Amino acid sequence: MHKTIQTPTLEIAYLEAGPPDGTPVILLHGWPSDPHDWDGVVLPLAAAGCRVLTPWLRGYGPTRFLDPATPRSGQQAALGADLRDFMDALGISQAILGGYDWGGRAACVVAALWPERVRGLVSITGYNIQNIPASGQPAAALTEFRYWYQWYFNMERGRAGLRANRRDIARLLWRLWSPNWKFDDATFEQTAASFDNPDFVEVTIHSYRHRFANVPGDPALEDLETRLVAQPTINVPTIVPHGEADGVDPPGNSEHDARHFTVRYERRVVPVAGHFLARETPEAVIQAVNDLLA
C-alpha cells in the first residue's frame, strides 16, 4: 500500500521499505513508467538496512497537484524541486539518489544544486541535466530517428495521440528502448495504470516541448532553470550504469560525461540491458548503491 506526503505543490504518493532509521535511498522512475521500475532493487536494499523510497513523479499514478491553478509543468526544474521538497517533507537531510530518464534528471538536478543533500548518486545513462539553449542544434540522423516521439509531442496531433493511445505508445517504446527485455502483459499493465493520472498528458507534453524551448516554463521555477542553463557540475560521488542495448539513449552518449563530475565518478556499461535497466538487471543498481554506501 502506498503512502502520501504533501509538499508545497503536490501530494506525492510513494512506496517505502526497510527500517525507518536506515540510510535513505530514493529511487526515481522514468517516462513512461512508474515505481515498479525498482521492484527487483527495493527488497535487497531494504534487507541490507536501507530505507528505500520510490515515489510517483508528478503526472503519474496517485500523485496529485494540490492547486488546479499550478502549471502542469514537466520541466527539469520542476522534477528537481519536487524531489527536494519530497525530502524536506519527510525530514530527510541527505540520501543516496538513483534514477534514469525523468527520474535521473530529478536526481542530477538535486545533486548539482543542493549537493549537501546527496550522499551518493546512481545516475543511469549519465549526466541527465538538459542543455536547453543548445536544443535547437540538429543531431545525427539516427539520434533524430530515435527521438521521433519527442517531435510528435511537439505537435497538437501528438497531444491528441497521447491522450487517445497512451498505452500503445508506451508499450511500443518499451519494446524499442529495451529490445532484449521480454516483458509480459501483466508487467506492462501494472505500470500502465499510472498513466491514467489526470495530469499525465499535460505534464508529458510540457516536458517534451519545454526541453526544446517551444513553451515557457513555470514562472515560479525560472530561478532554478537559470541555474541549470550553466550545466552545473555534480560534486557528489556518482556511479553511472548504462545499458549496452539502450534503444533511445545508447551508451556512446555518456562516454564523455566525466567532465560534468568533480569527485568520485565511475561509468559501467551493462551488457544486454536496455533503457529500463533496473527492471532488466536490478543487480547492477543494487551493486552501485552498495558501492556508494561502502
Side-chain angles (χ1 to χ4, degrees):
M1 184 67 182
H2 71 263
K3 301 179 179 181
T4 61
I5 192 81
Q6 282 198 2
T7 71
T9 304
L10 300 170
E11 181 175 81
I12 297 180
Y14 65 100
L15 301 172
E16 181 173 2
D21 60 349
T23 299
V25 177
I26 304 174
L27 302 173
L28 301 133
H29 68 83
W31 185 95
S33 200
D34 80 347
H36 290 295
D37 279 335
W38 311 104
D39 284 355
V41 175
V42 169
L43 291 182
L45 290 179
C50 297
R51 179 190 182 192
V52 188
L53 303 118
T54 53
W56 279 264
L57 301 183
R58 56 169 56 202
Y60 296 81
T63 291
R64 294 290 186 272
F65 286 87
L66 300 178
D67 186 346
T70 300
R72 271 37 178 178
S73 169
Q75 70 195 93
Q76 58 184 348
L79 302 176
D82 289 348
L83 174 54
R84 176 203 60 192
D85 293 347
F86 177 70
M87 294 175 69
D88 288 348
L90 289 170
I92 296 172
S93 60
Q94 189 179 62
I96 286 182
L97 304 181
Y100 76 102
D101 201 273
W102 286 28
R105 190 158 299 118
C108 282
V109 168
V110 172
L113 300 186
W114 304 287
E116 70 280 0
R117 308 298 299 271
V118 184
R119 176 171 172 176
L121 174 66
V122 180
S123 184
I124 298 170
T125 72
Y127 183 80
N128 281 299
I129 297 175
Q130 294 160 340
N131 188 353
I132 295 176
S135 65
Q137 298 174 7
L142 184 56
T143 299
E144 303 281 32
F145 171 72
R146 290 189 179 107
Y147 289 168
W148 67 267
Y149 64 101
Q150 301 192 21
W151 320 138
Y152 182 52
F153 294 154
N154 271 268
M155 299 188 297
E156 284 306 296
R157 180 185 177 101
R159 186 199 302 268
L162 184 62
R163 187 176 293 118
N165 303 312
R166 66 192 74 183
R167 277 171 166 74
D168 287 346
I169 292 170
R171 188 189 295 270
L172 173 61
L173 294 178
W174 280 28
R175 289 172 174 160
L176 293 174
W177 294 355
S178 281
N180 298 320
W181 178 35
K182 307 306 178 187
F183 60 89
D184 58 23
D185 289 344
T187 298
F188 177 77
E189 287 300 330
Q190 184 182 44
T191 286
S194 290
F195 312 151
D196 295 330
N197 182 296
D199 298 306
F200 175 77
V201 172
E202 292 309 310
V203 170
T204 295
I205 295 300
H206 185 270
S207 174
Y208 288 105
R209 295 184 181 185
H210 183 272
R211 68 185 62 191
F212 295 106
N214 287 332
V215 292
D218 182 344
L221 298 169
E222 281 309 297
D223 287 347
L224 294 184
E225 281 292 348
T226 298
R227 295 173 66 185
L228 295 174
V229 164
Q231 296 279 276
T233 57
I234 291 176
N235 307 316
V236 305
T238 300
I239 295 175
V240 170
H242 204 141
E244 186 178 47
D246 193 318
V248 65
D249 193 0
N253 290 358
S254 65
E255 282 182 351
H256 305 294
D257 279 3
R259 68 186 188 276
H260 294 293
F261 300 87
T262 61
V263 293
R264 175 186 174 184
Y265 171 81
E266 184 179 350
R267 175 176 173 267
R268 301 172 178 176
V269 176
V270 181
V272 181
H275 192 65
F276 298 97
L277 181 146
R279 293 182 184 253
E280 300 171 77
T281 54
E283 60 275 9
V285 178
I286 295 166
Q287 186 64 55
V289 172
N290 285 332
D291 289 347
L292 290 170
L293 287 169

